[in-house]
Protein backbone atom coordinates (compact mmCIF):
# COMPACT_ATOMS: atom_id res chain seq x y z
CA UNK A 1 0.00 0.00 0.00
CA UNK A 2 1.34 3.39 -0.88
CA UNK A 3 1.12 6.18 1.60
CA UNK A 4 1.17 9.01 -0.89
CA UNK A 5 -1.66 11.42 -0.16
CA UNK A 6 -4.62 11.25 -2.45
CA UNK A 7 -4.31 14.60 -4.27
CA UNK A 8 -0.94 13.72 -5.75
CA UNK A 9 -2.62 11.27 -8.10
CA UNK A 10 -4.40 14.10 -9.81
CA UNK A 11 -7.36 14.16 -12.06
CA UNK A 12 -8.08 11.60 -14.73
CA UNK A 13 -8.54 12.80 -18.29
CA UNK A 14 -12.08 13.15 -19.55
CA UNK A 15 -11.84 13.46 -23.30
CA UNK A 16 -14.11 13.43 -26.31
CA UNK A 17 -12.14 10.53 -27.77
CA UNK A 18 -12.65 8.57 -24.53
CA UNK A 19 -16.35 9.32 -24.74
CA UNK A 20 -16.47 8.16 -28.35
CA UNK A 21 -14.55 4.99 -27.54
CA UNK A 22 -17.12 4.21 -24.85
CA UNK A 23 -20.00 4.91 -27.20
CA UNK A 24 -18.59 2.70 -29.96
CA UNK A 25 -17.71 -0.12 -27.59
CA UNK A 26 -21.25 -0.16 -26.25
CA UNK A 27 -23.09 -0.17 -29.59
CA UNK A 28 -23.30 -3.97 -30.03
CA UNK A 29 -24.74 -4.39 -26.55
CA UNK A 30 -27.07 -1.45 -27.12
CA UNK A 31 -28.58 -3.21 -30.11
CA UNK A 32 -29.52 -6.03 -27.76
CA UNK A 33 -30.91 -3.48 -25.30
CA UNK A 34 -32.99 -1.93 -28.08
CA UNK A 35 -34.85 -5.21 -28.62
CA UNK A 36 -36.10 -4.87 -25.06
CA UNK A 37 -36.79 -1.15 -25.56
CA UNK A 38 -39.15 -2.01 -28.40
CA UNK A 39 -40.77 -4.59 -26.16
CA UNK A 40 -41.13 -2.02 -23.36
CA UNK A 41 -42.70 0.55 -25.71
CA UNK A 42 -45.15 -2.02 -26.99
CA UNK A 43 -46.13 -3.31 -23.54
CA UNK A 44 -46.43 0.25 -22.23
CA UNK A 45 -48.96 1.06 -24.93
CA UNK A 46 -50.89 -2.11 -24.18
CA UNK A 47 -50.92 -1.08 -20.50
CA UNK A 48 -52.42 2.28 -21.47
CA UNK A 49 -49.38 4.52 -21.00
CA UNK A 50 -49.35 7.45 -23.38
CA UNK A 51 -46.33 8.13 -25.59
CA UNK A 52 -45.33 10.95 -23.24
CA UNK A 53 -45.48 8.69 -20.20
CA UNK A 54 -43.60 5.79 -21.79
CA UNK A 55 -40.90 8.00 -23.27
CA UNK A 56 -40.47 10.04 -20.06
CA UNK A 57 -39.98 6.82 -18.18
CA UNK A 58 -37.29 5.67 -20.61
CA UNK A 59 -35.51 9.04 -20.63
CA UNK A 60 -35.70 9.93 -16.93
CA UNK A 61 -35.85 6.60 -15.10
CA UNK A 62 -33.76 4.81 -17.74
CA UNK A 63 -33.65 1.41 -16.03
CA UNK A 64 -34.98 -1.49 -18.07
CA UNK A 65 -35.78 -4.01 -15.38
CA UNK A 66 -37.58 -1.58 -13.08
CA UNK A 67 -39.52 -0.09 -15.99
CA UNK A 68 -40.82 -3.49 -17.04
CA UNK A 69 -41.72 -4.30 -13.44
CA UNK A 70 -43.45 -0.92 -13.13
CA UNK A 71 -45.68 -1.85 -16.07
CA UNK A 72 -46.82 -4.82 -14.05
CA UNK A 73 -47.94 -2.57 -11.19
CA UNK A 74 -49.32 0.17 -13.45
CA UNK A 75 -53.08 0.58 -13.42
CA UNK A 76 -55.98 3.03 -13.23
CA UNK A 77 -55.38 3.42 -9.48
CA UNK A 78 -51.69 4.27 -9.57
CA UNK A 79 -49.81 2.66 -6.64
CA UNK A 80 -47.46 5.63 -6.39
CA UNK A 81 -45.44 4.55 -3.38
CA UNK A 82 -45.11 0.89 -4.39
CA UNK A 83 -43.88 2.01 -7.80
CA UNK A 84 -41.20 4.28 -6.34
CA UNK A 85 -40.16 1.85 -3.61
CA UNK A 86 -40.00 -1.10 -6.02
CA UNK A 87 -37.91 0.95 -8.41
CA UNK A 88 -35.42 1.78 -5.68
CA UNK A 89 -35.17 -1.83 -4.50
CA UNK A 90 -34.77 -3.23 -8.00
CA UNK A 91 -31.93 -0.76 -8.56
CA UNK A 92 -30.08 -1.32 -5.28
CA UNK A 93 -27.42 -3.28 -7.16
CA UNK A 94 -26.34 0.05 -8.69
CA UNK A 95 -25.04 1.11 -5.27
CA UNK A 96 -22.37 -1.58 -5.40
CA UNK A 97 -21.68 -0.94 -9.08
CA UNK A 98 -21.12 2.76 -8.48
CA UNK A 99 -18.91 1.97 -5.50
CA UNK A 100 -16.81 -0.37 -7.64
CA UNK A 101 -16.06 2.48 -10.06
CA UNK A 102 -15.30 4.93 -7.23
CA UNK A 103 -11.47 4.77 -7.53
CA UNK A 104 -11.70 6.32 -10.99
CA UNK A 105 -14.81 8.47 -10.44
CA UNK A 106 -13.30 10.09 -7.34
CA UNK A 107 -10.56 11.44 -9.59
CA UNK A 108 -13.04 13.30 -11.78
CA UNK A 109 -14.83 16.52 -10.88
CA UNK A 110 -18.04 15.90 -8.95
CA UNK A 111 -20.12 17.22 -11.84
CA UNK A 112 -18.58 14.83 -14.36
CA UNK A 113 -18.71 11.86 -12.00
CA UNK A 114 -22.29 12.31 -10.83
CA UNK A 115 -23.41 13.35 -14.31
CA UNK A 116 -21.93 10.19 -15.83
CA UNK A 117 -23.60 8.07 -13.15
CA UNK A 118 -27.05 9.12 -14.35
CA UNK A 119 -26.36 7.09 -17.51
CA UNK A 120 -24.86 4.03 -15.80
CA UNK A 121 -26.58 0.74 -16.66
CA UNK A 122 -25.54 -2.86 -16.04
CA UNK A 123 -24.15 -2.96 -19.58
CA UNK A 124 -22.21 0.31 -19.64
CA UNK A 125 -20.95 -0.34 -16.10
CA UNK A 126 -19.56 -3.74 -17.06
CA UNK A 127 -17.90 -2.46 -20.24
CA UNK A 128 -16.33 0.49 -18.42
CA UNK A 129 -15.14 -1.66 -15.59
CA UNK A 130 -13.30 -4.07 -17.88
CA UNK A 131 -11.94 -1.22 -20.00
CA UNK A 132 -10.54 0.67 -17.01
CA UNK A 133 -9.13 -2.58 -15.62
CA UNK A 134 -7.32 -3.10 -18.92
CA UNK A 135 -6.02 0.47 -18.92
CA UNK A 136 -4.61 0.01 -15.43
CA UNK A 137 -2.99 -3.27 -16.38
CA UNK A 138 -1.17 -1.55 -19.22
CA UNK A 139 -0.22 1.32 -16.93
CA UNK A 140 -2.28 3.72 -19.03
CA UNK A 141 -4.49 6.43 -17.57
CA UNK A 142 -8.18 5.61 -17.54
CA UNK A 143 -10.29 8.02 -19.56
CA UNK A 144 -13.23 9.23 -17.47
CA UNK A 145 -15.26 9.88 -20.60
CA UNK A 146 -15.62 6.17 -21.34
CA UNK A 147 -18.40 5.60 -18.79
CA UNK A 148 -20.44 8.53 -20.10
CA UNK A 149 -19.93 7.46 -23.72
CA UNK A 150 -20.97 3.89 -23.04
CA UNK A 151 -23.97 5.11 -21.04
CA UNK A 152 -25.03 7.49 -23.81
CA UNK A 153 -25.00 4.65 -26.35
CA UNK A 154 -27.42 2.62 -24.23
CA UNK A 155 -29.47 5.77 -23.52
CA UNK A 156 -29.85 6.64 -27.20
CA UNK A 157 -30.84 3.14 -28.23
CA UNK A 158 -33.19 2.72 -25.24
CA UNK A 159 -35.00 6.01 -25.85
CA UNK A 160 -35.31 5.49 -29.61
CA UNK A 161 -36.45 1.88 -29.31
CA UNK A 162 -39.09 2.78 -26.70
CA UNK A 163 -40.54 5.31 -29.14
CA UNK A 164 -40.40 2.78 -31.96
CA UNK A 165 -42.16 0.13 -29.89
CA UNK A 166 -44.86 2.53 -28.76
CA UNK A 167 -45.57 4.06 -32.15
CA UNK A 168 -44.83 1.46 -34.77
CA UNK A 169 -44.74 -2.07 -33.59
CA UNK A 170 -48.08 -3.79 -33.69
CA UNK A 171 -46.90 -7.16 -32.58
CA UNK A 172 -43.54 -8.50 -31.57
CA UNK A 173 -42.14 -11.97 -31.50
CA UNK A 174 -40.72 -13.30 -28.32
CA UNK A 175 -37.02 -12.28 -28.40
CA UNK A 176 -36.22 -15.82 -27.22
CA UNK A 177 -37.27 -17.13 -30.62
CA UNK A 178 -34.11 -15.61 -32.09
CA UNK A 179 -31.92 -16.43 -29.13
CA UNK A 180 -31.78 -12.73 -28.25
CA UNK A 181 -32.71 -13.36 -24.64
CA UNK A 182 -29.31 -15.04 -24.41
CA UNK A 183 -27.40 -12.03 -25.78
CA UNK A 184 -27.10 -10.46 -22.32
CA UNK A 185 -25.92 -13.68 -20.71
CA UNK A 186 -23.32 -13.95 -23.46
CA UNK A 187 -22.12 -10.36 -23.01
CA UNK A 188 -21.75 -10.59 -19.25
CA UNK A 189 -20.07 -14.00 -19.56
CA UNK A 190 -17.52 -12.54 -21.98
CA UNK A 191 -16.90 -9.57 -19.68
CA UNK A 192 -16.37 -11.90 -16.72
CA UNK A 193 -13.84 -13.90 -18.75
CA UNK A 194 -12.20 -10.57 -19.67
CA UNK A 195 -11.50 -9.96 -15.98
CA UNK A 196 -9.44 -13.18 -15.99
CA UNK A 197 -10.29 -14.34 -12.46
CA UNK A 198 -7.40 -15.85 -10.54
CA UNK A 199 -7.15 -18.70 -8.10
CA UNK A 200 -7.88 -16.36 -5.19
CA UNK A 201 -11.15 -15.36 -6.88
CA UNK A 202 -12.52 -18.90 -7.07
CA UNK A 203 -14.12 -18.94 -3.63
CA UNK A 204 -15.82 -15.52 -3.93
CA UNK A 205 -17.06 -16.45 -7.41
CA UNK A 206 -18.43 -19.77 -6.18
CA UNK A 207 -20.16 -18.02 -3.28
CA UNK A 208 -21.63 -15.41 -5.62
CA UNK A 209 -22.87 -18.05 -8.05
CA UNK A 210 -24.52 -20.17 -5.34
CA UNK A 211 -26.19 -17.18 -3.69
CA UNK A 212 -27.43 -15.87 -7.02
CA UNK A 213 -28.87 -19.26 -8.00
CA UNK A 214 -30.65 -19.58 -4.65
CA UNK A 215 -32.00 -16.02 -4.74
CA UNK A 216 -33.15 -16.36 -8.34
CA UNK A 217 -35.06 -19.45 -7.32
CA UNK A 218 -36.80 -18.01 -4.27
CA UNK A 219 -36.98 -14.21 -4.73
CA UNK A 220 -38.63 -12.16 -7.47
CA UNK A 221 -37.01 -9.50 -9.60
CA UNK A 222 -33.31 -8.72 -9.58
CA UNK A 223 -32.56 -9.59 -5.96
CA UNK A 224 -30.27 -12.36 -7.13
CA UNK A 225 -27.66 -9.87 -8.39
CA UNK A 226 -27.47 -8.11 -5.04
CA UNK A 227 -27.47 -11.42 -3.14
CA UNK A 228 -24.66 -12.84 -5.27
CA UNK A 229 -22.60 -9.65 -5.08
CA UNK A 230 -22.85 -9.51 -1.29
CA UNK A 231 -22.03 -13.23 -0.93
CA UNK A 232 -18.98 -12.85 -3.17
CA UNK A 233 -17.80 -9.77 -1.32
CA UNK A 234 -18.28 -11.35 2.09
CA UNK A 235 -16.48 -14.51 1.02
CA UNK A 236 -13.53 -12.41 -0.10
CA UNK A 237 -13.58 -10.25 3.02
CA UNK A 238 -13.55 -13.24 5.35
CA UNK A 239 -10.69 -15.06 3.65
CA UNK A 240 -7.17 -14.35 2.47
CA UNK A 241 -5.16 -11.15 2.55
CA UNK A 242 -5.95 -8.17 0.35
CA UNK A 243 -4.40 -8.31 -3.06
CA UNK A 244 -1.46 -6.03 -3.57
CA UNK A 245 -1.97 -3.01 -5.76
CA UNK A 246 -0.50 -3.39 -9.22
CA UNK A 247 2.68 -1.36 -9.56
CA UNK A 248 1.29 1.16 -12.01
CA UNK A 249 0.95 3.94 -9.48
CA UNK A 250 -2.36 5.03 -10.93
CA UNK A 251 -4.47 3.99 -8.00
CA UNK A 252 -4.86 5.90 -4.78
CA UNK A 253 -3.25 3.90 -1.99
CA UNK A 254 -6.20 4.33 0.29
CA UNK A 255 -8.69 3.19 -2.26
CA UNK A 256 -10.37 -0.16 -2.47
CA UNK A 257 -10.86 0.22 -6.07
CA UNK A 258 -8.07 -1.64 -7.46
CA UNK A 259 -11.09 -3.85 -7.55
CA UNK A 260 -11.19 -4.57 -11.20
CA UNK A 261 -7.62 -3.69 -11.89
CA UNK A 262 -6.03 -6.45 -9.95
CA UNK A 263 -8.12 -9.22 -11.32
CA UNK A 264 -6.47 -9.78 -14.57
CA UNK A 265 -2.96 -9.47 -15.85
CA UNK A 266 -2.54 -9.62 -19.58
CA UNK A 267 -6.13 -9.91 -20.69
CA UNK A 268 -7.55 -8.34 -23.78
CA UNK A 269 -10.35 -6.05 -22.74
CA UNK A 270 -13.46 -6.76 -24.72
CA UNK A 271 -14.13 -3.04 -24.69
CA UNK A 272 -10.91 -2.32 -26.50
CA UNK A 273 -11.60 -4.57 -29.42
CA UNK A 274 -15.27 -3.81 -29.52
CA UNK A 275 -14.47 -0.37 -30.85
CA UNK A 276 -12.89 -1.80 -33.99
CA UNK A 277 -15.65 -4.22 -34.42
CA UNK A 278 -18.82 -2.41 -33.66
CA UNK A 279 -21.09 -3.76 -36.33
CA UNK A 280 -24.45 -4.77 -34.92
CA UNK A 281 -25.40 -8.39 -34.74
CA UNK A 282 -26.67 -9.69 -38.02
CA UNK A 283 -29.64 -11.37 -36.45
CA UNK A 284 -30.74 -8.45 -34.26
CA UNK B 1 -46.46 13.32 -2.98
CA UNK B 2 -49.07 15.79 -1.88
CA UNK B 3 -52.76 15.19 -2.18
CA UNK B 4 -52.99 12.66 -4.98
CA UNK B 5 -56.66 13.34 -5.57
CA UNK B 6 -55.94 16.97 -6.42
CA UNK B 7 -53.78 16.01 -9.39
CA UNK B 8 -55.00 15.14 -12.85
CA UNK B 9 -54.24 11.53 -13.92
CA UNK B 10 -51.48 12.67 -16.27
CA UNK B 11 -49.88 14.91 -13.66
CA UNK B 12 -50.01 12.09 -11.15
CA UNK B 13 -48.39 9.58 -13.49
CA UNK B 14 -45.69 12.07 -14.50
CA UNK B 15 -45.04 12.84 -10.82
CA UNK B 16 -44.77 9.09 -10.18
CA UNK B 17 -42.29 8.77 -13.03
CA UNK B 18 -40.31 11.64 -11.48
CA UNK B 19 -40.27 9.78 -8.17
CA UNK B 20 -39.05 6.63 -9.93
CA UNK B 21 -36.36 8.70 -11.66
CA UNK B 22 -35.16 10.12 -8.32
CA UNK B 23 -35.15 6.62 -6.76
CA UNK B 24 -33.09 5.25 -9.66
CA UNK B 25 -30.62 8.11 -9.64
CA UNK B 26 -30.21 7.79 -5.88
CA UNK B 27 -29.16 4.16 -6.36
CA UNK B 28 -26.70 5.16 -9.08
CA UNK B 29 -25.12 7.97 -7.04
CA UNK B 30 -25.14 6.34 -3.59
CA UNK B 31 -22.13 4.05 -4.14
CA UNK B 32 -19.83 6.92 -5.08
CA UNK B 33 -21.15 9.12 -2.26
CA UNK B 34 -20.47 6.36 0.27
CA UNK B 35 -17.00 5.64 -1.05
CA UNK B 36 -16.05 9.33 -1.01
CA UNK B 37 -16.81 9.52 2.72
CA UNK B 38 -14.98 6.49 4.05
CA UNK B 39 -11.46 5.14 3.79
CA UNK B 40 -11.89 1.40 3.83
CA UNK B 41 -9.80 -0.96 5.92
CA UNK B 42 -8.38 -4.26 4.62
CA UNK B 43 -11.63 -6.20 5.02
CA UNK B 44 -13.75 -3.69 3.14
CA UNK B 45 -10.99 -3.43 0.56
CA UNK B 46 -11.16 -7.18 -0.06
CA UNK B 47 -14.95 -6.94 -0.14
CA UNK B 48 -14.91 -4.21 -2.77
CA UNK B 49 -12.21 -5.94 -4.82
CA UNK B 50 -14.41 -8.99 -5.17
CA UNK B 51 -17.57 -7.07 -6.10
CA UNK B 52 -17.11 -6.60 -9.87
CA UNK B 53 -16.53 -10.25 -10.72
CA UNK B 54 -19.17 -11.31 -8.18
CA UNK B 55 -21.78 -9.07 -9.82
CA UNK B 56 -20.94 -10.40 -13.28
CA UNK B 57 -21.10 -14.00 -12.06
CA UNK B 58 -24.42 -13.32 -10.33
CA UNK B 59 -25.98 -11.74 -13.42
CA UNK B 60 -24.94 -14.74 -15.49
CA UNK B 61 -25.60 -17.59 -13.05
CA UNK B 62 -29.39 -18.09 -13.29
CA UNK B 63 -29.64 -17.95 -17.08
CA UNK B 64 -26.38 -19.85 -17.60
CA UNK B 65 -26.76 -22.62 -15.04
CA UNK B 66 -30.44 -22.90 -14.16
CA UNK B 67 -32.34 -22.62 -17.43
CA UNK B 68 -31.26 -25.76 -19.28
CA UNK B 69 -28.37 -27.62 -20.84
CA UNK B 70 -28.56 -25.60 -24.09
CA UNK B 71 -27.96 -22.38 -22.14
CA UNK B 72 -25.18 -23.98 -20.09
CA UNK B 73 -23.41 -25.24 -23.23
CA UNK B 74 -23.87 -21.89 -24.97
CA UNK B 75 -22.35 -20.13 -21.96
CA UNK B 76 -19.33 -22.41 -22.27
CA UNK B 77 -19.05 -21.61 -25.99
CA UNK B 78 -19.27 -17.88 -25.18
CA UNK B 79 -16.62 -18.12 -22.47
CA UNK B 80 -14.22 -20.06 -24.70
CA UNK B 81 -14.73 -17.61 -27.58
CA UNK B 82 -14.12 -14.65 -25.28
CA UNK B 83 -11.05 -16.36 -23.82
CA UNK B 84 -9.56 -17.18 -27.21
CA UNK B 85 -10.33 -13.97 -29.14
CA UNK B 86 -10.98 -11.30 -26.51
CA UNK B 87 -13.61 -9.82 -28.79
CA UNK B 88 -16.93 -8.92 -27.21
CA UNK B 89 -19.23 -8.71 -30.26
CA UNK B 90 -17.79 -11.97 -31.56
CA UNK B 91 -18.39 -13.70 -28.21
CA UNK B 92 -21.94 -12.33 -28.08
CA UNK B 93 -22.74 -13.63 -31.59
CA UNK B 94 -21.15 -17.00 -30.82
CA UNK B 95 -23.31 -17.32 -27.71
CA UNK B 96 -26.53 -16.39 -29.49
CA UNK B 97 -25.75 -18.69 -32.40
CA UNK B 98 -24.91 -21.53 -30.02
CA UNK B 99 -28.14 -21.16 -28.07
CA UNK B 100 -30.16 -21.01 -31.29
CA UNK B 101 -28.50 -24.18 -32.56
CA UNK B 102 -28.61 -26.08 -29.26
CA UNK B 103 -32.14 -25.31 -28.04
CA UNK B 104 -33.89 -27.50 -30.61
CA UNK B 105 -31.40 -30.31 -29.90
CA UNK B 106 -31.25 -30.17 -26.11
CA UNK B 107 -34.56 -28.56 -25.27
Amino acid sequence: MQTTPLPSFGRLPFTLSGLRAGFRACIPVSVGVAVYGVLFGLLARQKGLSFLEAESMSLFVFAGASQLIALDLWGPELPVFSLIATTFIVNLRHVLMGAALAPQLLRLSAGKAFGSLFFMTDESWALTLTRWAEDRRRGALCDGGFLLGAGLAVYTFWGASTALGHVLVRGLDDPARYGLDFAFTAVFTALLVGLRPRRADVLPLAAATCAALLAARFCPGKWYILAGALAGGLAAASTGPAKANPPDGTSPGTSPGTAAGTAAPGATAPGATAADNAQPKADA
Amino acid sequence: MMDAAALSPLALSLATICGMAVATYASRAAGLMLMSRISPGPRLTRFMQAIPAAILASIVAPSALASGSAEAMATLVTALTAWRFGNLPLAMCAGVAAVLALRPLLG
Side-chain angles (χ1 to χ4, degrees), chain B residues 28-104:
Chain B
R28 287 178 168 139
L32 181 58
M33 287 185 65
L34 288 174
M35 297 311 286
S36 66
R37 266 141 220 253
I38 53 177
S39 50
R43 255 169 208 283
L44 185 54
T45 302
R46 288 203 299 273
F47 179 89
M48 289 309 302
Q49 282 175 339
I51 287 298
I55 290 180
L56 291 174
S58 309
I59 292 176
V60 165
S63 46
L65 301 176
S67 37
S69 44
E71 283 77 6
M73 291 289 292
T75 304
L76 192 64
V77 169
T78 309
L80 289 174
T81 310
W83 182 268
R84 175 67 185 79
F85 299 101
N87 181 319
L88 181 66
L90 182 69
M92 182 170 94
C93 293
V96 170
V99 93
L100 266 181
L102 292 170
R103 269 178 186 160

Side-chain angles (χ1 to χ4, degrees), chain A residues 84-134:
Chain A
I84 295 172
T86 306
T87 302
F88 183 70
I89 290 168
V90 170
N91 287 319
L92 270 178
R93 65 188 189 283
H94 289 146
V95 177
L96 287 175
M97 293 181 176
L101 294 180
Q104 284 79 29
L105 293 179
L106 285 172
R107 297 172 64 198
L108 298 173
S109 72
K112 283 178 181 135
F114 285 105
S116 299
L117 281 173
F118 176 83
F119 299 96
M120 183 182 75
T121 62
D122 293 5
E123 295 81 12
S124 64
W125 170 82
L127 272 167
T128 305
L129 184 93
T130 46
R131 174 55 185 261
W132 285 350
E134 167 69 10

Side-chain angles (χ1 to χ4, degrees), chain A:
Chain A
M1 282 299 196
Q2 297 157 333
T3 48
T4 327
L6 212 73
S8 69
F9 293 101
R11 286 280 155 97
L12 286 178
F14 189 96
T15 66
L16 188 60
S17 71
L19 192 144
R20 284 162 127 163
F23 194 96
R24 280 198 306 268
C26 211
I27 285 178
V29 190
S30 302
V31 173
V33 168
V35 173
Y36 287 84
V38 170
L39 188 67
F40 171 75
L42 176 76
L43 292 174
R45 196 185 60 211
Q46 286 173 358
K47 265 284 182 177
L49 276 79
S50 66
F51 182 83
L52 179 69
E53 290 166 330
E55 196 61 28
S56 317
M57 214 190 267
S58 281
L59 294 182
F60 297 122
V61 181
F62 182 46
S66 42
Q67 286 179 235
L68 284 163
I69 290 168
L71 287 186
D72 239 15
L73 301 171
W74 206 269
E77 282 293 316
L78 218 51
V80 178
F81 287 105
S82 321
L83 277 166
I84 295 172
T86 306
T87 302
F88 183 70
I89 290 168
V90 170
N91 287 319
L92 270 178
R93 65 188 189 283
H94 289 146
V95 177
L96 287 175
M97 293 181 176
L101 294 180
Q104 284 79 29
L105 293 179
L106 285 172
R107 297 172 64 198
L108 298 173
S109 72
K112 283 178 181 135
F114 285 105
S116 299
L117 281 173
F118 176 83
F119 299 96
M120 183 182 75
T121 62
D122 293 5
E123 295 81 12
S124 64
W125 170 82
L127 272 167
T128 305
L129 184 93
T130 46
R131 174 55 185 261
W132 285 350
E134 167 69 10
D135 287 341
R136 294 167 42 77
R137 229 172 280 143
R138 292 178 318 168
L141 275 180
C142 308
D143 194 312
F146 195 90
L147 176 66
L148 179 59
L152 284 174
V154 181
Y155 191 71
T156 310
F157 277 77
W158 183 247
S161 59
T162 299
L164 193 71
H166 196 280
V167 174
L168 288 180
V169 180
R170 296 292 148 199
L172 187 74
D173 275 340
D174 181 6
R177 232 184 109 185
Y178 305 101
L180 288 175
D181 57 322
F182 193 76
F184 295 99
T185 309
V187 165
F188 290 115
T189 300
L191 290 173
L192 178 59
V193 169
L195 286 179
R196 307 260 154 151
R198 303 183 306 182
R199 196 175 292 259
D201 302 314
V202 169
L203 183 67
L205 282 176
T209 304
C210 293
L213 287 174
L214 278 172
R217 176 118 196 201
F218 297 111
C219 309
K222 294 263 183 184
W223 279 108
Y224 65 93
I225 299 177
L226 198 59
L230 290 173
L234 289 174
S238 57
T239 57
K243 298 168 197 163
N245 283 336
D248 61 11
T250 57
S251 83
T254 53
S255 146
T258 47
T262 49
T268 314
T273 47
D276 312 322
N277 233 316
Q279 76 276 22
K281 287 198 311 298
D283 56 347

